[in-house]
Amino acid sequence: MSKMSTEVVPQPLALRRRALSGPTMGSRWSAVFWTTEDVDTAALDRSLQAAVDRVEQQMTTRRPDSDLERLSAAPIGVWVPIPRELTEVLAAALDIGRRSEGAFDIGVGDLVRAWGFGGCHTPDARGIAGVAGRPSFEPPKTLQLDLAGGRARRLAPLRLDLSGIAKGFGVDELAREMGATGLSCWLVGIDGEMRAEGVKPGGRPWAVAHEKPVPGAREILGVLELSGAAVATSGAYRHRVEVDGRMLSHTMDPRRGAPLENDLASVTVLAGTCMAADAWATALLVAGAVRGPELARRQGLAALFVQTDGEVLEAWP
């Protein structure tokens, strides 16, 4: 006579949708993920907040004690020790600046301040005149990195600004924390910079809204599906100042030494990391509706260009 089996087969734990968020870089970070009940979400929340706090402390221009501001304030020619994360972002910024033929420029900090951005609230005519003849940002002539030694030095009196890349890196740091926890299905973001991994229960990728570039409104132009990828949008329709009756963008045109004025309203880039997507979205916006798509194709980028007249241009690798 056979014996009846008493073995208990464990049942898979049910997945539950969870969401976390917190303040960072003048905005908010967010994380949406599917997980089992045994994941310590309180600990994850602390690690995510610590990750973006670290990025902000190193790279903001709004704190005089940040590592970036410390570098900008150091005497010309003096090597300054900087953290690993800042070294990584500066190296990426210099690389994309070179590959974009100067469209992405982190040496515009004085321009940003003079025109009423970066913590300032009104344009400063004297400051604008003072930076009109600023030296062009041509690394390594103006900024040198010692990657092995974790240090940098300025060789020209330029103030650095990482607003076109730091949020994207912050999203990548959120992604790193999610992966370290062992989670495989998540969407993290800061503002409109997002990165996703895995697919939701049911097999669908994460859906991210592609915003219509309309000042003062939140309208959806389309939906992008993400899995194992990042997306970032740079636009000339938010964070603006009025000067002599004109609304000017916070994005600087390094060629003109003034706020960007061209035929693009926004550029959205899909990439493997959010840092790359963020920086290239800014570079392509500055490049414009003719040069931008050509540059995107040469660099193998997937990008959507929305012109000021509403026409959408696409560039795919």
Side-chain angles (χ1 to χ4, degrees), residues 9-308:
V9 178
Q11 297 298 311
L13 295 175
L15 294 176
R16 178 184 173 190
R17 183 183 183 277
R18 304 297 296 269
L20 300 171
S21 67
T24 187
M25 305 183 206
S27 183
R28 293 190 68 81
W29 64 267
S30 64
V32 181
F33 52 100
W34 288 87
T35 183
T36 55
E37 291 289 349
D38 60 339
V39 171
D40 187 345
T41 54
L44 177 59
D45 181 70
R46 290 191 296 269
S47 67
L48 293 172
Q49 186 66 58
V52 293
D53 286 349
R54 184 167 56 249
V55 174
E56 183 167 14
Q57 175 56 45
Q58 291 184 22
M59 304 179 199
T60 185
T61 59
R62 296 173 183 268
R63 297 180 185 176
D65 63 340
S66 75
D67 294 287
L68 183 68
E69 286 294 280
R70 188 166 50 83
L71 176 58
S72 287
I76 301 301
V78 174
W79 286 103
V80 178
I82 56 176
R84 173 190 60 81
E85 294 88 351
L86 179 55
T87 304
E88 180 180 344
V89 172
L90 287 174
L94 297 185
D95 177 60
I96 293 174
R98 176 184 58 79
R99 291 163 58 195
S100 67
E101 299 171 351
F104 186 72
D105 186 337
I106 61 170
V108 295
D110 286 322
L111 279 172
V112 171
R113 293 193 175 203
W115 283 95
F117 299 102
C120 305
H121 301 290
T122 57
D124 174 14
R126 180 179 297 179
I128 292 171
V131 297
R134 73 187 183 100
S136 60
F137 186 67
E138 300 178 32
K141 296 179 182 178
T142 54
L143 179 67
Q144 291 182 337
L145 287 181
D146 176 5
L147 298 179
R151 58 182 188 163
R153 65 176 176 177
R154 297 179 309 136
L155 300 179
L158 294 171
R159 182 178 295 273
L160 303 174
D161 188 297
L162 297 176
S163 59
I165 192 171
K167 282 186 179 178
F169 180 76
V171 173
D172 290 334
E173 289 294 277
L174 292 173
R176 184 180 59 80
E177 292 294 337
M178 299 298 281
T181 306
L183 297 171
S184 59
C185 178
W186 44 259
L187 175 70
V188 294
I190 301 174
D191 260 350
E193 333 298 359
M194 312 289 291
R195 183 168 168 176
E197 188 61 55
V199 294
K200 295 180 289 185
R204 295 290 299 176
W206 293 92
V208 175
H210 181 207
E211 188 175 78
K212 184 181 294 186
V214 178
R218 293 284 187 181
E219 299 182 31
I220 295 177
L221 183 63
V223 175
L224 302 171
E225 292 189 330
L226 289 184
S227 179
V231 63
T233 296
S234 184
Y237 61 102
R238 299 205 186 282
H239 308 300
R240 303 186 299 169
V241 294
E242 183 175 352
V243 179
D244 297 331
R246 295 183 300 156
M247 297 304 296
L248 300 179
S249 167
H250 72 291
T251 300
M252 293 294 133
D253 185 343
R255 296 164 298 185
R256 295 174 51 244
L260 182 66
E261 292 185 277
N262 65 16
D263 44 7
L264 286 178
S266 71
V267 177
T268 297
V269 173
L270 297 167
T273 68
C274 206
M275 177 172 66
D278 193 9
W280 276 112
T282 300
L284 297 179
L285 179 70
V286 171
V290 174
R291 181 170 161 243
E294 296 173 351
L295 177 59
R297 293 186 186 99
R298 286 201 308 271
Q299 294 297 327
L301 298 168
L304 296 171
F305 300 78
V306 182
Q307 297 187 154
T308 52

